[in-house]
Structures are given as C-alpha cells and as structure tokens.
Amino acid sequence: MDFDFSEQQKMVRDMVRSFAAEKLRPGAGSRDESGEFPVEIFRELAALGLLGMTTPEAYGGAGMEILAYLFAIEEIARGDASVAVAVSVTNSVCQWPIVHFGSEELKRRVLPELASGEVLGGIMLTEPGAGSDLASLRTTYRREGDRFLLNGAKAWITNAGVGATFVVLATRDRSQGAKGISAFVLDARQPGVVVQPREKKMGLRSSVTAAVMLEDAEVPVANLLGEEGAGMKIALATLDHSRLGIAAQALGIAQAALDEALAYAKQREQFGRPIIEHEAVGFRLADMDAELEAARWLTYRAAWLSQRPGRVSRTSAQAKLLASETANRIAALAVQVHGGYGFSREYAVERLYREARVTTIYEGTSEVQRMVIARALKGLVTTAPE
Ligand SMILES: Cc1cc2nc3c(=O)[nH]c(=O)nc-3n(C[C@H](O)[C@H](O)[C@H](O)COP(=O)(O)OP(=O)(O)OC[C@H]3O[C@@H](n4cnc5c(N)ncnc54)[C@H](O)[C@@H]3O)c2cc1C
C-alpha cells in the first residue's frame, strides 16, 4: 500500500490550490450574490490546461490520470463550487464519453476545441419527467438522410447557454425502453436548440443551469456515440466515472467549511476563552476532520480502482454517497460553530451550506447511489477487500 502522490499529482494540486486561493475564493461570495458567470476565470482555467484534463494529448487535452483531475476539482470547489461544477461537467460528462465511445473522426473534430477550453461542454440527460428513472425519457430522435433530428425537453442542464457541445440522450421508440435510447454529440450553436431562462437556484448561483428545448435539433450521423441503442450503457458508464468528480467537489466544499469553522473557533471567545477550547466545539471539529479524511480517502481509492479493469459502479457510488453526505454534515456543523454569524450572508459558511446541498442530488441522488451499491451487493458473497 502506498499513499504517496506522484510529482504530477502534487504539482497539479499545489498549482490549483494557489489559483483557487488567489483567484476564486475572494470573489465567490459576490458572484453568488450577482449570479455572474465568470468568463474571465474560465479563460484562465483554460490557459492552465484544466478544461480537458483527462482527454488524451492527441486530441488537445492534458492526458492526465483521474486523481490529478480530482485534486483539481477539489481545490477549485474549495475556492468556488460554482466554478467547480462547470469545470467538472465539461471534463467528465462531456469529454469522457466522447473519448471512450466516439469514432476517431468525431474525436478529432470535436475534442480539441473542448479540451483547449475554447468552448465548454455538458450533458443533457434529465427531463421534466425523467430524473432518477432516466430510461423513461421522452426526447425522440429520427433519422433523415445523413442526420438525426432530435425533439423534446431537457431539464436542469449545466452550462446551457454558455456551452457549445453537449452529449444528449434520446429514444427512437419509447416502447423499446432502455434499448431504444442512443447517445449523440450535439452542437448547441443552432436554431433547433432553444435555451430557457436560467434556473433561480439555492446555491451554485454563478454556474448556469437551464431547461433546453430541442426542436428538430440536427445531429450528423457521425456524431452518434457507440452503436444505436447503446445510450443507457454509455450514460451509466459515464456517471460511474463522473460521480468521482462530484465526490471531489463535495470534498472541496467540506474542506472550505472546515477551514472557516476552525479559523472562527480559534478567534471567537465566549466564557473567557476561544470557543475551540470548549470541549463540545473542539470535539465537533475533531469529528468534522476525521469524517472528511475518511471521505477523501474513499474517493481517492475509488479513483485508483477506476483505472484498473472491472466495473467501478459500486466504489464510485460509495465515494459519491459518503463524500456528499459528509459535506452536508460538515457544512451544517460549520454553520453551528459560527452561531448566529453562520446564519449571515457575511460569512462564507452560509454559502457553503447551500452549495453542499446539491451534491447529494445531482449525478444521481443519495438514494440512487444506494440503489447502485445494493444492486452490486446482491452479486457478492463477502464485502471484504480482495
Ligand atoms: C444544479 C443542478 C445541475 C444539474 N445539472 C444537470 C446536467 O448538467 N445534466 C443533466 O442531465 N441533469 C442535471 N441535473 C439534474 C439532476 O441530475 C437530477 O435533478 C437528479 O438526477 C434527480 O432527478 P430529479 O430531480 O428528477 O428527481 P427525482 O428522480 O424525481 O427524485 C425525487 C426524489 O425521489 C427519490 N427517488 C426517485 N426514485 C427513487 C427510488 N426508486 N427509490 C428511492 N428513492 C427514489 C430521489 O432520490 C429524490 O429524493 C442537475 C440538477 C441540479 C439541481
């Protein structure tokens, strides 16, 4: 067993940590208030090579392994979780399936502008009536000559309106269930893609989320991912991978909340001494520290396993479940440590508490993660590590 990180991993972590402390953390609160999408910050992230991190160099990416990517997401989220979600989405749910299921021609055509950060990407899975039960989606596709035409409504799409390239799931015939669903790469810069007004969200308010109408949206036949009918398999494999990014985002939010709580507990005095010296507060911080470390190492191990052969559904769901639930607990406790000031928008913990909330919801709710783990357990005799 070796818990050491490689030089490249440490270099990425340290570089993104300083970038986040200098460029993300200071404006996170005011962007949360204004909802402004930080275009300039994305230019800088692109220049640092953070918008195509695991995409191979042959297609313009940085070709890094997943742990370096998770370090980057964790550190970005520690500075500003709104930025982290947009970075995670363009890297993982958009570029990853294209790298793994796209044809060589498609990869050469669409990946360079995504990986360089010239454009942002995203994914369109969710619909107004299909969230956890993705296979019940209603967006349809039909073939006309050398193109597919997509029609339907997608909901909750991150980077809608600011991104150009989206992986989209649609069905050719709902009566075929999951087998009727295919995955496509859609260029959103066309009249058939109509982005609705931005959602007014509880948190992550400077990231853009909106519903999207597809009205005869055109997709060249060459933009099909994998085979026709393989859409659900592709989406599930993508989520197995991308959930690690949401786990990393949760770790970053939790770390920021713990940082804030620790600093406050050392400086705030009640009953004649800093509150950290009251055992109830000190022990609370100790629990936060221990739980965060457990979630962190479960996530890193899941990332390590994801680079070995075999399905990673269970380990990736474990990491997402534990990291997101832990982030919610830690953010709530950080508010408690701040007393009344934790309830004020003047203090970062108020924002962190709202940001943590979504991590148990998107890319599969905690209930969905438990379903994935329980399904895997049915096939096991023992859960002891091999
Ligand atoms: C900020 C934000 C950004 C998002 N970005 C994207 C994006 O870029 N692309 C995209 O496609 N989607 C995106 N989503 C959508 C997100 O993935 C879904 O909201 C999520 O999968 C849950 O689906 P739902 O909202 O329809 O909830 P539902 O599926 O309706 O679930 C409602 C509740 O019922 C529970 N539930 C449902 N089925 C079961 C069951 N069988 N057993 C037990 N409990 C169950 C759920 O856990 C949940 O608590 C985003 C959402 C948010 C909030």
Side-chain angles (χ1 to χ4, degrees):
M1 209 163 35
D2 181 0
F3 289 101
D4 266 349
F5 301 127
S6 71
E7 285 311 309
Q8 186 194 54
Q9 289 159 352
K10 284 193 262 189
M11 191 266 291
V12 169
R13 187 194 56 197
D14 296 346
M15 187 244 319
V16 184
R17 186 173 288 171
S18 353
F19 177 81
E22 220 179 284
K23 301 276 175 78
L24 300 180
R25 172 70 188 84
S30 60
R31 285 191 296 277
D32 175 62
E33 291 281 342
S34 69
E36 174 208 341
F37 181 78
V39 175
E40 191 47 46
I41 282 176
F42 278 86
R43 279 202 196 100
E44 294 188 49
L45 291 166
L48 293 174
L50 298 175
L51 298 183
M53 285 192 74
T54 59
T55 296
E57 289 175 53
Y59 309 114
M64 292 192 188
E65 34 78 45
I66 182 152
L67 201 52
Y69 162 68
L70 296 187
F71 282 173
I73 296 294
E74 185 177 336
E75 295 299 335
I76 292 171
R78 192 173 170 188
D80 185 343
S82 286
V83 174
V85 68
V87 172
S88 150
V89 159
T90 197
N91 270 287
S92 65
V93 282
C94 183
Q95 291 175 58
W96 191 88
I98 299 174
V99 168
H100 288 82
F101 302 101
S103 68
E104 189 56 31
E105 182 278 326
L106 177 64
K107 290 192 249 195
R108 294 208 176 273
R109 182 155 47 81
V110 303
L111 285 173
E113 66 171 359
L114 279 164
S116 64
E118 204 178 310
V119 301
L120 290 177
I123 194 163
M124 299 186 187
L125 303 176
T126 308
E127 299 186 358
S132 304
D133 181 14
L134 192 53
S136 68
L137 62 82
R138 289 172 179 271
T139 296
T140 59
Y141 73 87
R142 66 177 195 279
R143 184 167 178 164
E144 267 187 14
D146 58 359
R147 59 189 190 155
F148 294 107
L149 295 174
L150 273 55
N151 282 282
K154 293 290 179 180
W156 291 106
I157 305 307
T158 302
N159 288 345
V162 295
T165 306
F166 290 80
V167 169
V168 185
L169 245 57
T171 176
R172 68 187 154 203
D173 178 358
R174 285 195 77 215
S175 69
Q176 294 178 358
K179 292 200 175 98
I181 296 174
S182 300
F184 308 90
V185 176
L186 171 79
D187 189 329
R189 296 163 288 189
Q190 57 166 305
V193 177
V194 185
V195 178
Q196 304 300 302
R198 280 170 71 163
E199 298 290 348
K200 293 180 180 148
K201 305 194 297 275
M202 176 196 286
L204 301 185
R205 300 209 315 228
S206 70
S207 81
V208 180
T209 318
V212 177
M213 305 303 293
L214 302 176
E215 297 170 354
D216 274 344
E218 292 188 20
V219 173
V221 166
N223 283 24
L224 177 72
L225 290 179
E227 312 266 297
E228 256 191 276
M232 274 303 284
K233 259 185 160 159
I234 292 173
L236 295 179
T238 301
L239 289 167
D240 279 349
H241 162 82
S242 69
R243 279 174 183 150
L244 294 172
I246 303 304
Q249 184 197 26
L251 295 175
I253 296 170
Q255 184 64 60
L258 179 54
D259 292 344
E260 296 290 335
L262 187 58
Y264 189 80
K266 285 187 200 167
Q267 151 271 283
R268 172 74 173 171
E269 291 191 7
Q270 287 295 282
F271 299 96
R273 52 195 168 134
I275 58 171
I276 194 170
E277 288 177 21
H278 298 298
E279 193 175 82
V281 176
F283 276 19
R284 180 164 280 158
L285 290 163
D287 283 343
M288 291 156 80
D289 179 54
E291 287 185 25
L292 175 55
E293 210 57 8
R296 179 171 277 134
W297 285 99
L298 187 70
T299 303
Y300 295 170
R301 179 172 178 274
W304 176 78
L305 280 172
S306 77
Q307 295 194 314
R308 295 154 62 99
R311 289 295 311 260
V312 291
S313 309
R314 173 173 156 239
T315 43
S316 152
Q318 286 172 337
K320 205 261 183 185
L321 175 64
L322 194 80
S324 62
E325 294 287 345
T326 300
N328 274 272
R329 258 194 315 278
I330 289 178
L333 289 173
V335 169
Q336 193 68 18
V337 167
H338 279 69
Y341 297 95
F343 201 60
S344 160
R345 291 174 106 150
E346 300 265 310
Y347 285 77
V349 283
E350 183 271 342
R351 171 175 52 81
L352 294 164
Y353 179 75
R354 289 184 283 107
E355 286 169 344
R357 194 63 198 85
V358 76
T359 61
T360 62
I361 295 173
Y362 57 21
E363 296 201 18
T365 61
S366 286
E367 292 72 32
V368 166
Q369 308 311 319
R370 291 187 181 101
M371 280 161 62
V372 171
I373 298 166
R375 203 173 297 140
L377 289 179
K378 276 197 263 171
L380 294 179
V381 177
T382 171
T383 59
E386 286 162 28

